[in-house]
Amino acid sequence: MTQEEFAEQSGFTQQYVSGLERGLRNPTIVSLYEIALALGVDHVALITPDDEAREEEARRLEGKARGRSKSSAKRRESKAPKKTSRASGKSCAKT
């Protein structure tokens, strides 16, 4: 089904349908219901994640967890106490 055909069937403009498809627009709950009616599907089917969405979310969370563990290690390193030389008052890097 083309955007033009769907727009005609649903009552939305082709520009609106294009914006939805490209992720530039966010439909209201009423619009989601009307889209589901035009497609002949249950409105819940439009918002229920499929396998691809679940896999993408798992990858996103895995990457986020990896980033968190790296930043935690950096924070621990940066919080290590620095030794100062009493004579000069300058800090000496701990090796």
Side-chain angles (χ1 to χ4, degrees):
M1 177 183 298
T2 66
Q3 288 180 353
E4 291 82 8
E5 291 168 341
F6 180 72
E8 187 176 312
Q9 189 173 4
S10 66
F12 293 110
T13 65
Q14 188 271 328
Q15 291 79 11
Y16 180 75
V17 173
S18 174
L20 288 173
E21 197 172 272
R22 292 183 294 140
L24 301 175
R25 293 185 165 269
N26 296 314
T28 65
I29 192 71
V30 173
S31 295
L32 279 175
Y33 185 77
E34 291 171 355
I35 290 168
L37 285 176
L39 292 172
V41 299
D42 182 41
H43 60 281
V44 176
L46 296 180
I47 59 169
T48 302
D50 59 6
D51 291 338
E52 183 180 344
R54 286 187 192 99
E55 289 170 10
E56 185 177 318
E57 179 67 4
R59 284 191 301 272
R60 186 186 70 79
L61 291 173
E62 183 179 301
K64 195 174 182 180
R66 250 186 274 131
R68 233 181 293 144
S69 64
K70 286 180 184 178
S71 63
S72 295
K74 286 182 181 180
R75 279 195 302 275
R76 284 191 299 270
E77 289 173 10
S78 67
K79 288 183 179 180
K82 295 180 182 178
K83 291 185 177 180
T84 57
S85 168
R86 289 181 185 232
S88 67
K90 295 180 183 177
S91 64
C92 302
K94 192 176 186 180
T95 56

